[in-house]
């Protein structure tokens, strides 16, 4: 029996039981669609989170100090230990282009045109290059020593009337003080600019460390609180717990060290230069590190890899659950093929009586199972691509189709058909023609 004839007979049998065949392939359709949809959403999420990091940002080295046993991501258990003098010294080290502090400052609310929006953690003090020019939708970077700010779209659209470049925004700080900043730039998205912020689309107002922290803020957080210090509204020092502090006493929760280039060797050199200084007795941080703290320095690539590993683990877990549907679908095909063998026992006997070989009977039923698997894979792939597109559109993620999974889905459909139909086909091929002709 020719292969084409086997396919024709298999297709005739499938069409003769349309409802049964449709329900049989449904398990394969759902399994393949779930896998494709979740993989698409996973790839789109990774692109949305990781793909937005520019090459310039990848040369950053992020540092913070925490107890050795502290687990978690960036800033987990972080304590303020880095002084302005430390940053100046690191900037002079070999392989370092720039070094600046990072400090989230506690706020109560943002106010614009008489409208108030409660915000507890909107203010971030950092260096000008923390917001790259290519991350700005409009305006420019802020400048050190100026009461300027760059905001993200979440802040710009927070009020009834959108905040624009050149507008003044009032920030209510913890303790009741208020300060006014001039908006000089708006970022292109509300996603976090670094692993410190977890890439979350929260409202953010980015300001220079000078004067918003080194001049205005108290030197340390009471009790080591990482929530930020209070700011003054006019450049004067603010007293906390009755103590006045000089600018040089301000300690940063974290630092950002920029390598001279994006080359891996250059980034590693900047990282080691910063580490060797911070762990030496020359640094102001070294005295505080003796209190059981250690400096943690990680490159952007290392931090992004950790995040990517977490996303991959989550995606694989969900895909594994979705793949259970494929097992259910393969059991369904095997069950229906066994029923088909029983129903067509007399037909098998007639074919053998007129000279059909065992391999031809085997090929006939195997072809039927493979057709069911391939149809399920094709329909499941199309459904999965549509579901992935709708999911990415709804969550507002850049759409990324993992095309290798489309090919894999077809292969899986064929394999599911083969393995599910192998035993029923083998059983049909071994049917005794005399017993088959007697079968009622």
């Amino acid at each position: 029996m020719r292969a084409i004839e086997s396919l024709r007979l298999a297709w005739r049998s499938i069409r003769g039981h349309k409802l049964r065949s449709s329900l049989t392939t449904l398990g394969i359709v759902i399994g393949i669609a779930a896998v494709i949809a979740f993989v698409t959403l996973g790839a789109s999420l990774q692109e949305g989170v990781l793909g937005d990091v520019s090459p310039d940002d990848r040369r950053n080295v992020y540092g913070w100090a925490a107890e050795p046993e502290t687990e978690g991501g960036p800033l987990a258990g972080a304590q303020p230990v880095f002084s302005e003098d430390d940053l100046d010294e690191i900037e002079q080290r070999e392989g370092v282009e720039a070094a600046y502090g990072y400090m989230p400052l506690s706020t109560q609310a943002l106010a614009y045109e008489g409208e108030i929006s409660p915000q507890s953690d909107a203010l971030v003090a950092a260096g000008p290059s923390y917001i790259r020019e290519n991350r700005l939708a409009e305006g420019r970077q802020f400048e050190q020593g100026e009461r300027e700010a760059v905001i993200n779209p979440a802040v710009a659209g927070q009020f009834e009337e959108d905040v624009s470049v050149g507008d003044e925004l009032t920030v209510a700080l913890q303790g009741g003080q208020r300060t006014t900043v001039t908006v000089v730039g708006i970022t292109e998205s509300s996603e976090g600019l670094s692993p410190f912020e977890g890439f979350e689309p929260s409202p953010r107002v980015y300001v220079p460390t000078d004067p918003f922290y080194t001049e205005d803020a108290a030197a340390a957080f009471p009790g080591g609180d990482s929530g930020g210090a209070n700011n003054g509204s006019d450049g004067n020092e603010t007293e906390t717990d009755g103590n006045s502090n000089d600018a040089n006493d301000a300690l940063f929760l974290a630092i950002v060290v920029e390598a001279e280039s994006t080359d891996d060797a250059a980034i590693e050199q900047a990282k080691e230069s910063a580490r060797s200084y911070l762990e030496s007795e020359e640094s102001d941080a070294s005295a505080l590190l003796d209190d059981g703290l250690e400096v943690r320095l990680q490159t952007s690539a290392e931090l992004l890899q950790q995040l990517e590993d977490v996303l991959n683990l989550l995606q694989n877990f969900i895909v594994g659950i979705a793949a259970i549907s494929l097992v259910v679908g393969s059991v369904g095909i095997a069950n229906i093929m066994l029923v088909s063998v029983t129903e067509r026992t007399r037909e098998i006997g007639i074919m053998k009586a007129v000279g059909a070989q065992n391999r031809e009977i085997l090929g006939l039923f195997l072809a039927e199972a493979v057709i069911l698997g391939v149809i399920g894979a094709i329909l499941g792939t199309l459904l999965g691509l549509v579901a992935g597109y709708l999911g990415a559109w709804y969550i507002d993620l850049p759409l990324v189709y993992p095309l290798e999974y489309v090919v894999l889905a077809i292969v899986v459909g064929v394999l599911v058909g083969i393995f599910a139909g192998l035993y029923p086909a083998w059983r049909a091929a071994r049917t005794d023609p005399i017993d088959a002709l007697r079968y009622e």
Side-chain angles (χ1 to χ4, degrees):
M1 187 183 298
R2 294 175 299 176
I4 295 179
E5 187 66 17
S6 296
L7 291 174
R8 188 183 67 81
L9 291 174
W11 181 245
R12 186 185 67 180
S13 175
I14 292 173
R15 291 187 61 189
H17 304 85
K18 293 180 181 179
L19 179 59
R20 186 173 72 185
S21 299
S22 299
L23 294 176
T24 301
T25 59
L26 187 59
I28 303 297
V29 171
I30 293 174
I32 295 292
V35 171
I36 294 293
F38 283 125
V39 170
T40 299
L41 288 176
S44 298
L45 178 61
Q46 287 196 17
E47 178 65 22
V49 173
L50 307 178
D52 203 30
V53 180
S54 69
D56 279 338
D57 291 331
R58 293 182 185 272
R59 64 176 177 161
N60 288 350
V61 178
Y62 299 95
W64 66 98
E67 295 181 355
E69 64 274 12
T70 302
E71 297 182 357
L75 296 187
Q79 299 294 326
V81 301
F82 309 104
S83 70
E84 191 73 15
D85 290 339
D86 286 339
L87 295 174
D88 292 339
E89 286 295 329
I90 292 174
E91 200 165 87
Q92 304 303 317
R93 298 283 162 155
E94 185 176 3
V96 177
E97 177 74 20
Y100 53 86
Y102 172 94
M103 179 60 86
L105 303 175
S106 296
T107 57
Q108 290 182 335
L110 301 177
Y112 175 69
E113 296 291 338
E115 186 179 353
I116 298 176
S117 173
Q119 296 293 337
S120 61
D121 58 353
L123 200 63
V124 173
S129 57
Y130 185 74
I131 297 92
R132 308 279 182 186
E133 291 285 359
N134 58 7
R135 294 298 303 272
L136 292 173
E138 55 181 298
R140 59 172 175 82
Q141 297 169 305
F142 56 70
E143 296 180 1
Q144 287 283 18
E146 301 294 334
R147 293 196 170 272
E148 300 175 339
V150 171
I151 63 175
N152 65 3
V155 172
Q158 191 81 23
F159 306 94
E160 186 173 334
E161 184 177 343
D162 288 349
V163 182
S164 304
V165 172
D167 292 343
E168 290 191 344
L169 189 67
T170 299
V171 181
L173 305 160
Q174 293 289 350
Q177 300 92 342
R178 291 193 173 201
T179 185
T180 300
V181 298
T182 301
V183 176
V184 296
I186 301 176
T187 63
E188 61 184 8
S189 77
S190 290
E191 295 175 352
L193 297 175
S194 82
F196 286 157
E197 299 178 53
F199 301 97
E200 296 177 356
S202 303
R204 289 289 183 268
V205 178
Y206 303 101
V207 296
T209 54
D210 174 21
F212 286 93
Y213 183 62
T214 56
E215 291 185 11
D216 292 353
F221 307 118
D225 178 18
S226 61
N230 295 334
N231 296 55
S233 60
D234 56 4
N236 297 323
E237 294 173 358
T238 301
E239 292 188 0
T240 302
D241 296 336
N243 295 323
S244 178
N245 299 282
D246 296 331
N248 289 335
D249 291 332
L251 298 177
F252 294 97
L253 192 67
I255 59 173
V256 181
V257 179
E258 296 181 7
E260 293 179 342
S261 72
T262 57
D263 183 71
D264 289 343
I267 296 173
E268 193 63 29
Q269 183 182 38
K271 176 181 176 181
E272 292 308 315
S273 293
R275 183 186 300 279
S276 63
Y277 171 75
L278 290 171
E279 293 180 348
S280 70
E281 295 183 357
E282 303 175 48
S283 70
D284 293 335
S286 61
L288 295 174
L289 294 178
D290 292 337
D291 295 335
L293 303 177
E294 68 173 7
V295 172
R296 299 185 180 184
L297 291 168
Q298 290 188 301
T299 65
S300 292
E302 291 170 338
L303 291 170
L304 292 174
Q305 185 60 52
Q306 291 178 5
L307 182 58
E308 189 173 1
D309 290 342
V310 172
L311 292 175
N312 285 334
L313 182 63
L314 178 62
Q315 176 178 289
N316 292 336
F317 175 73
I318 296 175
V319 168
I321 295 176
I324 295 176
S325 299
L326 291 176
V327 178
V328 176
S330 64
V331 172
I333 290 180
N335 181 52
I336 291 303
M337 291 307 301
L338 285 172
V339 172
S340 181
V341 169
T342 302
E343 289 180 343
R344 297 165 64 184
T345 301
R346 286 182 60 84
E347 181 183 338
I348 294 171
I350 294 172
M351 286 190 293
K352 283 198 166 188
V354 297
Q357 301 295 316
N358 284 352
R359 66 176 180 274
E360 294 172 334
I361 303 298
L362 180 70
L364 174 63
F365 283 90
L366 201 56
E368 186 173 335
V370 170
I371 289 174
L372 290 174
V374 170
I375 291 175
I378 293 174
L379 294 179
T381 298
L382 295 176
L383 180 61
L385 293 176
V386 172
Y389 168 79
L390 294 176
W393 170 78
Y394 181 77
I395 305 176
D396 194 21
L397 293 172
L399 181 63
V400 177
Y401 279 133
L403 298 180
E404 64 274 12
Y405 274 86
V406 175
V407 178
L408 183 62
I410 304 298
V411 173
V412 167
V414 173
L415 293 178
V416 166
I418 291 175
F419 286 110
L422 197 57
Y423 173 71
W426 175 81
R427 180 175 171 180
R430 290 180 58 85
T431 301
D432 184 88
I434 296 176
D435 293 337
L437 290 172
R438 291 175 179 173
Y439 185 82
E440 294 295 336

